[in-house]
């Protein structure tokens, strides 16, 4: 009896091993890049490297002006959901380089992008098809679009997000000229343009805000993105360079975008 039991257990072990080997062949491991290799020594901080940075075979462009990111990419682990009280560098950094998510950010290190002309791009060592990336609003973007401020929107006291005990007030986004609270037909859109060996391969767009009536195919859509969302890029085909642009319905009299030209990027999935 004991011998039969041993043979039976050995037989079952062979089946489990065979299934495991087959699963590894049929379902390969994901190739998702999450930027965990980029180290930040402090919590609630960010890093703006000189001359760009490399992660998982991708080179991200970085343009600095003093201590600030004037274009391209940096990386961060900030997760703030509150207005700031002052227009100083330390205060503004806490919203400018922070992702807005429904819960404290769980993705660890992620990228923050400042779109300025053609500066917001990354390159790949060899052309690849990017299945999707994860995108999100910065805290600064979200507060500007959802609440507006006293310059661009009719003043009305509101509670400071994430600080329910604080008195209601009229908050400032500290955007020069002010911003307006988003309403019907407003939008905030990312566009990715792909290149391969200098030739344009295609264009893909994704709305970080799509208010009622903006999307002709889906006129009932009415949202501002509040967490990480997939932006499909496979339509670009094999690329060795991707450039990001932003557009907003909130523009000044000269046609310049008033919504801060920032967004967050994470989770690359290669095909």
């Amino acid at each position: 009896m004991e011998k039969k039991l041993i043979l039976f257990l050995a037989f079952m072990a062979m089946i489990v091993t065979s299934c495991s080997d087959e699963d590894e062949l049929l379902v390969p491991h994901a190739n998702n890049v999450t930027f965990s290799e980029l180290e930040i020594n402090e919590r609630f901080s960010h890093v703006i490297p000189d001359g760009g940075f490399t992660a998982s075979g991708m080179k991200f462009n970085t343009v600095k002006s003093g201590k600030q990111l004037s274009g391209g990419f940096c990386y961060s682990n900030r997760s703030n959901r509150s207005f700031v009280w002052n227009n100083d560098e330390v205060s503004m950094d806490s919203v400018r380089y922070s992702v807005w998510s429904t819960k404290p950010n769980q993705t660890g290190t992620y990228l923050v992008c400042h779109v300025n002309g053609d500066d917001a791009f990354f390159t790949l060592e060899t052309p690849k098809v990017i299945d999707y990336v994860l995108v999100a609003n910065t805290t600064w973007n979200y507060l500007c679009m959802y609440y507006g401020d006293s310059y661009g929107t009719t003043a009305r006291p509101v509670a400071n997000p994430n600080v329910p005990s604080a008195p209601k007030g009229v908050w400032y986004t500290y955007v020069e000229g002010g911003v307006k609270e988003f309403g019907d037909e407003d939008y905030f859109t990312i566009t990715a343009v792909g290149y391969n060996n200098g030739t344009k391969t295609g264009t893909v767009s994704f709305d970080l805000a799509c208010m009622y009536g903006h999307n002709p195919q889906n006129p009932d859509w009415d949202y501002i993105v509040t967490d990480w969302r997939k932006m499909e890029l496979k339509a670009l085909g094999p690329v060795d360079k991707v450039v990001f642009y932003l557009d907003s319905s909130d523009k000044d009299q000269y046609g310049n975008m008033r919504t801060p030209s920032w967004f967050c990027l994470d989770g690359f999935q290669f095909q």
Side-chain angles (χ1 to χ4, degrees):
M1 181 69 181
E2 184 178 349
K3 184 176 180 181
K4 288 182 179 180
L5 179 60
I6 293 173
L7 290 173
F8 174 74
L9 292 175
F11 175 68
M12 292 302 296
M14 288 173 61
I15 293 176
V16 171
T17 303
S18 299
C19 289
S20 298
D21 292 343
E22 186 177 9
D23 284 346
E24 287 184 7
L25 292 173
L26 294 177
V27 187
H29 294 291
N31 223 359
N32 211 336
V33 177
T34 61
F35 303 106
S36 57
E37 64 195 85
L38 299 174
E39 296 184 0
I40 302 176
N41 294 329
E42 303 176 59
R43 292 184 65 194
F44 309 116
S45 187
H46 66 279
V47 175
I48 307 174
D50 294 313
F53 56 95
T54 300
S56 301
M58 296 177 287
K59 177 66 182 293
F60 292 87
N61 187 48
T62 300
V63 182
K64 289 180 73 173
S65 177
K67 295 181 180 180
Q68 295 299 327
L69 179 69
S70 65
F73 296 87
C74 69
Y75 47 98
S76 174
N77 60 17
R78 292 182 181 272
S79 185
N80 182 36
R81 289 168 49 85
S82 174
F83 279 98
V84 294
W85 282 260
N86 300 299
N87 188 21
D88 59 80
E89 192 172 85
V90 173
S91 298
M92 290 306 298
D93 282 357
S94 70
V95 292
R96 189 162 35 210
Y97 300 103
S98 173
V99 64
W100 181 278
S101 51
T102 53
K103 296 180 179 179
N105 181 52
Q106 301 295 316
T107 63
T109 303
Y110 59 89
L111 306 188
V112 176
C113 178
H114 182 194
V115 174
N116 187 2
D118 300 323
D119 286 340
F121 69 86
F122 66 87
T123 57
L124 296 92
E125 293 175 352
T126 56
K128 293 181 181 180
V129 175
I130 304 172
D131 197 8
Y132 65 83
V133 294
L134 300 181
V135 294
N137 281 304
T138 65
T139 299
W140 198 20
N141 290 118
Y142 181 85
L143 295 175
C144 287
M145 293 185 288
Y146 191 84
Y147 294 99
D149 64 19
S150 61
Y151 294 111
T153 305
T154 302
R156 58 183 176 88
V158 296
N160 197 332
N162 224 31
V163 193
S165 60
K168 288 186 177 181
V170 178
W171 305 102
Y172 295 90
T173 59
Y174 299 109
V175 174
E176 186 176 352
V179 292
K180 73 167 189 172
E181 177 186 347
F182 269 27
D184 289 353
E185 299 187 0
D186 282 324
Y187 62 88
F188 182 54
T189 303
I190 304 175
T191 296
V193 181
Y195 294 89
N196 192 348
N197 197 26
T199 301
K200 185 176 176 180
T201 63
T203 299
V204 174
S205 294
F206 179 87
D207 289 328
L208 282 170
C210 177
M211 308 307 286
Y212 184 83
H214 164 62
N215 188 315
Q217 287 76 40
N218 302 278
D220 292 333
W221 284 6
D222 190 28
Y223 68 83
I224 299 174
V225 166
T226 58
D227 219 323
W228 293 102
R229 292 288 180 265
K230 283 185 180 180
M231 180 178 180
E232 305 280 352
L233 295 184
K234 65 181 72 175
L236 299 180
V239 292
D240 59 15
K241 181 179 181 180
V242 175
V243 187
F244 290 99
Y245 300 94
L246 289 170
D247 189 25
S248 168
S249 54
D250 188 9
K251 294 181 172 70
D252 64 19
Q253 59 182 327
Y254 305 107
N256 299 313
M257 189 171 74
R258 299 196 301 179
T259 308
S261 56
W262 300 69
F263 72 96
C264 298
L265 185 66
D266 202 359
F268 280 62
Q269 180 68 49
F270 293 107
Q271 198 171 80

